[in-house]
Amino acid sequence: LAKTTQPPSMEAYEGQEVNVSCSHTNIATSEYIYWYRQVPHQGPQFIIQGYKDYVVNEVASLFISADRKLSTLSLPWVSLRDAAVYYCIVTDRGYNQGKLIFGQGTKLSIKP
Amino acid sequence: DMKVTQMPRYLIKRMGENVLLECGQDMSHETMYWYRQDPGLGLQLIYISYDVDSNSEGDIPKGYRVSRKKREHFSLILDSAKTNQTSVYFCARGQGGYEQYFGPGTRLTVL
């Protein structure tokens, strides 16, 4: 499983766009990128997944660099509810059979 | 509905007592998981269940066992609980690829 590196913390104001980066320099061709977030006292919540290029859903967008060594989760117009720990996870879908390894993530703080 | 339920939500036990944590899901998904999370740390995988009576150890299985007799239910058992098993335990179910849906957690304190 590729190791991921994220900034430990970030701050933003309500209404801003926030970009959370994740480095995965040893990502294998069979591996996919997943993002989860966890608010205090709750379980993690799946946000988005991707393999290459650009993925968007109703919650966030995910940009993956051409060499797939860097991904960026973009949260538009953040609110106080977006304050959470954001986890970037890289894993091989087939080989690891659903195994996710959660690192320490990026703690996003939102200022009113 | 993609709901994952966990019971109880809070539990206090004494060292040496047995602990049973229950997890339920309403979609009969095959794969279910148990994790624990300690303060300031990410989640650590304890066990995976791929189907009824088809379980696999995760990264930290020592001191735990699991039971899955129905697809909808997955139990985590601590035989003779230890103080270092004080933690928040999360159950999750798998969906498709690696999208996992987590329950609300059980906060276990072992005195």
Side-chain angles (χ1 to χ4, degrees), chain A residues 32 34 36 38 41-46 49 87 89 91-105, chain B residues 9 31 33 35 37 40-45 48 50 57-59 90 96-105 107:
Chain A
Y32 286 71
Y34 293 78
Y36 282 75
Q38 185 178 23
H41 309 298
Q42 292 186 23
Q45 177 187 27
F46 170 77
Q49 64 169 306
Y87 296 99
I89 300 168
T91 191
D92 185 316
R93 288 172 128 165
Y95 180 74
N96 288 303
Q97 298 185 51
K99 185 174 180 178
L100 296 174
I101 296 178
F102 287 81
Q104 301 224 14
Chain B
R9 294 292 313 277
T31 311
Y33 310 81
Y35 294 86
Q37 186 173 33
L41 299 180
L43 278 74
Q44 297 177 276
L45 180 63
I48 304 174
Y50 297 106
E57 293 181 347
D59 297 321
F90 290 101
Y98 282 56
E99 299 169 35
Q100 294 183 15
Y101 294 89
F102 287 77
R107 186 174 296 274

Side-chain angles (χ1 to χ4, degrees), chain A residues 4-35:
Chain A
T4 60
T5 302
Q6 301 177 237
S9 63
M10 295 181 67
E11 284 186 340
Y13 286 96
E14 277 194 293
Q16 282 187 318
E17 178 183 74
V18 172
N19 295 309
V20 186
S21 64
C22 180
S23 171
H24 25 79
T25 54
N26 294 323
I27 189 168
T29 54
S30 58
E31 291 180 316
Y32 286 71
I33 300 155
Y34 293 78
W35 284 85

Side-chain angles (χ1 to χ4, degrees), chain B residues 6-102:
Chain B
Q6 291 187 237
M7 290 293 289
R9 294 292 313 277
Y10 302 91
L11 185 61
I12 299 175
K13 287 285 193 178
R14 295 193 180 279
M15 189 170 59
E17 292 185 327
N18 297 331
V19 176
L20 174 65
L21 304 184
E22 304 268 25
C23 175
Q25 49 100 355
D26 57 1
M27 294 290 287
S28 295
H29 283 275
E30 291 182 356
T31 311
M32 298 182 74
Y33 310 81
W34 276 106
Y35 294 86
R36 66 176 280 176
Q37 186 173 33
D38 299 301
L41 299 180
L43 278 74
Q44 297 177 276
L45 180 63
I46 305 172
Y47 267 96
I48 304 174
S49 175
Y50 297 106
D51 209 331
V52 171
D53 287 330
S54 178
N55 307 315
S56 179
E57 293 181 347
D59 297 321
I60 53 162
K62 187 177 180 181
Y64 303 94
R65 62 183 175 95
V66 292
S67 175
R68 192 170 180 198
K69 298 301 181 184
K70 291 183 179 181
R71 270 196 174 184
E72 296 82 9
H73 296 110
F74 188 35
S75 301
L76 181 69
I77 302 147
L78 289 65
D79 295 314
S80 187
K82 301 173 180 55
T83 55
N84 62 8
Q85 292 178 308
T86 292
S87 189
V88 180
Y89 290 86
F90 290 101
C91 175
R93 65 162 182 83
Q95 166 96 4
Y98 282 56
E99 299 169 35
Q100 294 183 15
Y101 294 89
F102 287 77

Side-chain angles (χ1 to χ4, degrees), chain A residues 40-59:
Chain A
H41 309 298
Q42 292 186 23
Q45 177 187 27
F46 170 77
I47 302 173
I48 198 166
Q49 64 169 306
Y51 182 80
K52 64 178 182 178
D53 299 331
Y54 184 73
V55 182
V56 60
N57 63 19
E58 65 275 8
V59 176

Side-chain angles (χ1 to χ4, degrees), chain A residues 59-81:
Chain A
V59 176
S61 57
L62 176 62
F63 172 77
I64 303 167
S65 64
D67 60 6
R68 302 204 323 122
K69 294 183 178 183
L70 180 69
S71 61
T72 302
L73 176 74
S74 182
L75 305 169
W77 301 101
V78 294
S79 69
L80 294 175
R81 291 180 300 177

